[in-house]
């Protein structure tokens, strides 16, 4: 039997088990899993290594204008960074322009990604304003394969929606089969605290964290859950950072509500102390929600093991520290006022290596790793069973991980277009050996092919009500 590609001799990891097998790929899909002694075809040697489903990062911001800046990574460099780190699909956030239709925003993001992305991609739709006569536009966005809407309870004047708008969007989403993604922080409270801090002359990056308390996240998370319960709609809390907020999700799930949450590696590996670094270095970590005090991360690790948190995504949103890199102003915009530091940090390339290192450290099983990086995001976001699993018929999105080789994370070697790495110098006990996107080899030994093939837009499924 002939295959286009055979991944040979690796340990295949699924959410439920791990076993030694070869994988035969034909027509860009997994054709067979088993012992392929006599099969013919180009071979990827995975002996002594693990084979996991391509990572699915359902929270990236590529080519995003935000807070007077534009992200350092567009779809070309962001997706290069993603694939070199073992992520083969992303879901990015298309943004509605205030006053314009949702479809206008979606089409804009299609133009930004098309012909640039090296990985498969989809879009969530960020709703900026939603008067009554605009609500029905949500249905078309769902039909076009983007059944998830992000709403903000923070960023007054930029993205923030009031409870009535949120509830209107939720009720429509209940009908059209979509899911609501929520940025849950109490924007009103934060605004008061920010103004007070600035009036007292507190301008350094650390005040970003000190004006965004955990309780502001927990309160908004609880309110989002209550609104979603009243509307009868599934809710997905994005970039959850605080243990207190996680417990709201845990309790809602225990009551049987369709509530899900993701956290991100920065909340598992970094903490408030990073804001105390001298010379404006804390700006590297200015993101929302902010990094939390040491100790909080243990609660999140536990939540990941208990399935109180279902997904780890990255919220990759890169801004350079030095002005002018790539011609784009970045973190220096907030040198004299922490509230003007563009919010966000890079991470799409380091998610899988950091979490596989957690497997090596005994914090997660390799099966749970597959669940939180691929299977569970695929299920929640309407990509399953096309993506997120290793099984005949699924897209041949595969990553070979070498656990014997160590890798030092650094901005000198990463593939993102940003001049720092939040995990600079951290050693992970693994390296990305091979990455295949729908059956095509794209990365070998952490290096991309000279002319890597492009990924495609993937329509995601809505719920069948
Ligand atoms: O700081 C962040 N998270 N920047 C990106 C925008 C968002 O809220 O996801
Ligand atoms: Zn957000
Ligand atoms: Zn984000």
């Amino acid at each position: 039997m002939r295959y286009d590609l055979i991944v040979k001799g690796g340990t295949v990891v699924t959410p439920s088990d791990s076993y030694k097998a070869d994988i035969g790929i034909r027509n860009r899909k997994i054709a067979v899993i088993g012992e392929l002694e006599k099969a013919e075809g180009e071979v990827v040697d995975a002996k002594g290594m693990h084979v996991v489903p391509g990572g699915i990062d359902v929270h990236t911001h590529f080519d995003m204008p935000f807070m007077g800046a534009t992200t350092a990574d567009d779809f070309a460099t962001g997706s290069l960074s993603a694939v070199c780190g073992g992520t083969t699909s992303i879901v990015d956030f298309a943004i509605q322009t205030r006053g314009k239709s949702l479809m206008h925003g979606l089409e804009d993001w299609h133009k930004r990604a098309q012909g640039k992305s090296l990985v498969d991609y989809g879009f969530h739709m960020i709703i900026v304003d939603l008067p009554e006569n605009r609500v029905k536009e949500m249905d078309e966005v769902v039909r076009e394969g983007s059944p998830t809407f992000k709403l903000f309870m923070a960023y007054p004047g930029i993205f923030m929606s009031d409870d009535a708008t949120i509830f209107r969007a939720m009720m429509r989403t209940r009908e059209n089969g979509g899911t609501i993604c929520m940025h849950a922080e109490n924007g009103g409270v934060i605004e008061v605290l920010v103004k007070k801090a600035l009036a007292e002359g507190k301008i350094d990056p650390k005040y970003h964290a000190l004006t965004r308390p955990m309780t502001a996240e927990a309160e908004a998370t609880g309110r989002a859950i209550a609104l979603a319960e009243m509307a009868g709609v599934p809710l997905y809390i994005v970039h959850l950072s605080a243990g207190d907020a996680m417990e709201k999700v845990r309790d809602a799930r225990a009551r049987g509500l369709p509530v899900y949450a993701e956290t991100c590696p920065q909340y598992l590996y970094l903490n408030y102390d990073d804001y105390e670094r001298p010379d404006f270095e804390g700006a590297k970590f200015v993101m929302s929600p902010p990094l939390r005090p040491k100790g909080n991360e243990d609660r999140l690790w536990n939540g990941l093991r208990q399935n109180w948190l279902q997904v780890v995504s990255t919220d990759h949103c890169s801004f350079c520290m030095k002005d002018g890199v790539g011609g784009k102003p970045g973190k220096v915009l907030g040198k004299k006022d922490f509230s003007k530091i563009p919010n966000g940090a890079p991470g799409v390339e380091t998610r899988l290596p950091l979490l596989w290192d957690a497997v090596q450290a005994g914090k997660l099983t390799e099966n749970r790793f597959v669940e939180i990086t691929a299977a569970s995001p695929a299920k929640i976001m309407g990509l399953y069973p096309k993506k997120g699993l290793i099984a005949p018929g699924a897209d041949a999105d595969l990553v070979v991980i070498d656990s014997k080789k160590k890798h030092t994370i650094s901005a000198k070697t990463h593939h993102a277009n940003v001049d720092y790495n939040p995990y600079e110098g951290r050693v992970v006990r693994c390296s990305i050996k091979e990455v295949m996107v729908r059956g095509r080899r794209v990365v070998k030994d952490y290096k991309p092919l000279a002319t890597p093939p492009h990924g495609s837009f993937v329509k995601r499924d809505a719920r069948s009500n």
Side-chain angles (χ1 to χ4, degrees):
M1 192 66 85
R2 190 163 183 89
Y3 297 97
D4 300 336
L5 204 58
I6 303 166
V7 182
K8 218 165 173 32
T11 299
V12 175
V13 189
T14 77
S16 54
D17 53 6
S18 309
Y19 56 93
K20 283 218 163 62
D22 307 324
I23 301 173
I25 297 165
R26 201 182 291 127
N27 298 329
R28 308 193 62 189
K29 291 195 178 288
I30 295 172
V32 67
I33 303 172
E35 206 176 314
L36 300 176
E37 269 316 308
K38 298 209 175 85
E40 290 171 28
E42 184 184 337
V43 169
V44 173
D45 184 9
K47 210 182 297 131
M49 292 179 254
H50 290 88
V51 185
V52 299
I56 301 177
D57 187 346
V58 298
H59 193 147
T60 65
H61 301 278
F62 297 157
D63 201 3
M64 178 171 91
F66 188 43
M67 296 182 73
T70 300
T71 52
D73 284 303
D74 63 7
F75 277 85
T77 64
S79 65
L80 174 67
S81 182
V83 77
C84 288
T87 284
T88 55
S89 303
I90 56 140
V91 186
D92 203 85
F93 288 83
I95 306 178
Q96 177 198 16
T97 304
R98 195 173 288 280
K100 295 229 166 112
S101 74
L102 298 181
M103 282 309 292
H104 176 273
L106 194 59
E107 279 155 17
D108 181 1
W109 251 259
H110 272 290
K111 284 188 208 128
R112 288 168 198 255
Q114 204 168 13
K116 279 192 165 182
S117 182
L118 304 180
V119 297
D120 284 350
Y121 59 93
F123 299 117
H124 310 283
M125 184 81 232
I126 288 181
I127 292 178
V128 173
D129 68 325
L130 196 70
E132 193 59 59
N133 63 351
R134 188 128 273 162
V135 174
K136 58 183 179 305
E137 290 179 14
M138 296 177 84
D139 304 358
E140 192 179 354
V141 175
V142 174
R143 279 198 300 275
E144 291 301 317
S146 298
T148 39
F149 299 94
K150 183 175 178 186
L151 288 142
F152 287 75
M153 299 171 117
Y155 295 120
I158 308 178
F159 288 142
M160 187 166 131
S161 294
D162 59 20
D163 287 356
T165 305
I166 290 170
F167 192 60
R168 240 193 327 263
M170 284 178 164
M171 293 216 295
R172 192 72 186 200
T173 306
R174 160 79 187 88
E175 297 307 316
N176 64 30
T179 294
I180 294 291
C181 300
M182 189 63 79
H183 180 129
E185 286 184 292
N186 186 318
V189 165
I190 290 164
E191 187 175 44
V192 170
L193 293 175
V194 168
K195 281 193 177 140
K196 181 172 180 292
L198 290 173
E200 290 167 0
K202 296 170 175 168
I203 59 166
D204 295 338
K206 69 177 179 187
Y207 292 105
H208 172 75
L210 295 173
T211 54
R212 303 184 91 95
M214 296 233 242
T215 311
E217 187 183 357
E219 182 280 326
T221 303
R223 182 157 38 98
I225 290 168
L227 293 170
E229 183 176 6
M230 287 187 276
V233 73
L235 176 70
Y236 180 84
I237 304 290
V238 296
H239 49 46
L240 186 147
S241 73
D244 294 358
M246 179 183 73
E247 285 165 9
K248 304 274 184 197
V249 173
R250 177 198 65 189
D251 295 350
R253 290 173 61 79
R255 290 200 290 122
L257 294 175
V259 175
Y260 311 93
E262 61 175 24
T263 190
C264 308
Q266 54 268 35
Y267 305 121
L268 297 165
Y269 284 94
L270 306 170
N271 63 63
Y272 170 80
D273 297 350
D274 290 299
Y275 293 116
E276 298 274 2
R277 296 193 195 189
D279 300 330
F280 196 60
E281 212 196 322
K284 290 178 177 172
F285 309 97
V286 168
M287 62 190 74
S288 295
L291 303 180
R292 300 303 188 184
K294 208 164 172 35
N296 178 71
E297 74 281 8
D298 292 336
R299 296 169 74 184
L300 301 183
W301 281 115
N302 186 42
L304 278 172
R305 287 187 290 268
Q306 305 289 342
N307 202 33
W308 301 338
L309 301 170
Q310 296 73 45
V311 174
V312 176
S313 64
T314 65
D315 196 9
H316 182 101
C317 185
S318 55
F319 297 102
C320 288
M321 285 294 284
K322 289 204 180 71
D323 216 352
V325 175
K328 295 175 178 177
K331 298 281 187 182
V332 286
L333 288 171
K335 190 104 200 199
K336 297 199 178 98
D337 173 350
F338 71 88
S339 73
K340 294 198 166 59
I341 299 170
N343 285 199
V348 74
E349 189 164 339
T350 42
R351 180 182 66 131
L352 259 59
L354 285 167
L355 290 174
W356 192 264
D357 190 67
V359 171
Q360 302 279 78
K363 284 183 131 128
L364 294 173
T365 65
E366 59 198 38
N367 312 100
R368 185 65 184 155
F369 167 95
V370 165
E371 187 95 55
I372 62 181
T373 59
S376 173
K379 285 178 190 162
I380 296 169
M381 295 298 168
L383 288 164
Y384 199 84
K386 186 176 162 63
K387 296 194 179 290
L389 80 170
I390 299 180
D395 284 356
D397 297 332
L398 297 168
V399 180
V400 179
I401 299 178
D402 184 351
S403 303
K404 294 193 195 83
K405 204 166 162 201
K406 290 183 180 164
H407 170 71
T408 304
I409 296 172
S410 175
K412 292 195 193 84
T413 50
H414 74 198
H415 298 81
N417 183 39
V418 60
D419 59 357
Y420 77 96
N421 193 299
Y423 309 98
E424 186 70 37
R426 186 182 282 267
V427 178
V428 288
R429 286 158 278 184
C430 59
S431 81
I432 302 293
K433 181 74 184 159
E434 281 270 355
V435 184
M436 289 146 267
V437 181
R438 282 199 289 133
R440 299 195 289 209
R441 296 172 92 165
V442 180
V443 175
K444 190 169 165 47
D445 292 324
Y446 192 50
K447 287 190 191 69
L449 295 189
T451 46
H454 284 121
S456 321
F457 173 68
V458 187
K459 277 191 166 195
R460 293 180 293 120
D461 298 331
R463 280 174 292 115
S464 44
N465 274 330

